[in-house]
């Protein structure tokens, strides 16, 4: 796997992990924290070897809204991907087996006032904007 593929996989892993960290940290509706989300975080915690990677995961889990901490986690994931072929294979299998692994990104340039923007994914979503 070449370095750009590893960087892309690390980015995908971080995008995959971020919503779960937000949910588990209580930054979103608490009831939305699913058992599978907890399992995903545990999966990463169990497989990210080394104190630096574990510290980055703990820091990102404590502050999942902080892009700098998530970037630090992404870099640690990238390092583990480069060094550990087994982790690389397992991560590819994890992402492939969970359809929600597709990341979404929304960019909006809004002018004026009283504008509302929303983004949702998943199943059985109910949105009320008032």
């Amino acid at each position: 796997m070449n370095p750009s593929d590893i960087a892309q996989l690390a980015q995908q892993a971080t995008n995959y992990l971020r919503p779960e960290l937000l949910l588990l940290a209580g930054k979103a509706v608490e009831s939305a924290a699913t058992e599978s989300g907890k399992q995903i975080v545990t999966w990463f915690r169990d497989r990210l070897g080394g104190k630096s990677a574990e510290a980055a995961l703990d820091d990102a889990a404590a502050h999942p809204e902080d892009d700098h901490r998530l970037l630090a986690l992404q870099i640690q994931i990238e390092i583990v991907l480069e060094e550990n072929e087994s982790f690389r294979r397992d991560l590819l299998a994890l992402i492939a087996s969970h359809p929600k692994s597709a990341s979404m990104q929304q960019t909006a340039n809004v002018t004026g006032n009283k504008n509302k923007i929303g983004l949702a994914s998943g199943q059985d979503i109910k949105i009320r904007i008032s």
Side-chain angles (χ1 to χ4, degrees):
M1 189 171 255
N2 69 46
S4 66
D5 290 341
I6 288 175
Q8 184 178 13
L9 182 56
Q11 173 69 50
Q12 191 175 6
T14 307
N15 290 344
Y16 185 72
L17 192 53
R18 183 179 193 163
E20 306 306 337
L21 294 174
L22 285 165
L23 292 172
L24 294 175
K27 305 293 181 186
V29 179
E30 181 60 34
S31 62
T34 64
E35 192 58 38
S36 71
K38 293 174 187 173
Q39 290 173 354
I40 289 166
V41 173
T42 300
W43 186 95
F44 275 92
R45 189 170 307 286
D46 290 346
R47 287 172 178 80
L48 283 175
K51 291 184 181 183
S52 298
E54 291 175 21
L57 179 59
D58 290 341
D59 198 29
H63 306 280
E65 72 287 351
D66 186 332
D67 289 337
H68 289 104
R69 288 179 165 107
L70 288 166
L71 181 58
L73 175 58
Q74 180 179 327
I75 291 167
Q76 289 301 317
I77 290 171
E78 191 172 335
I79 290 168
V80 176
L81 285 168
E82 289 171 349
E83 296 174 349
N84 187 330
E85 187 175 331
S86 159
F87 176 75
R88 194 177 326 138
R89 277 193 315 267
D90 291 348
L91 179 58
L92 287 166
L94 174 73
I95 290 173
S97 70
H98 288 79
K100 72 178 200 161
S101 66
S103 66
M104 293 178 26
Q105 186 172 14
Q106 178 180 17
T107 303
N109 292 322
V110 180
T111 59
N113 56 14
K114 297 184 182 180
N115 297 304
K116 295 179 169 85
I117 297 173
L119 174 67
S121 67
Q123 300 175 358
D124 300 321
I125 297 172
K126 295 174 180 71
I127 299 174
R128 180 174 177 235
I129 300 175
S130 50

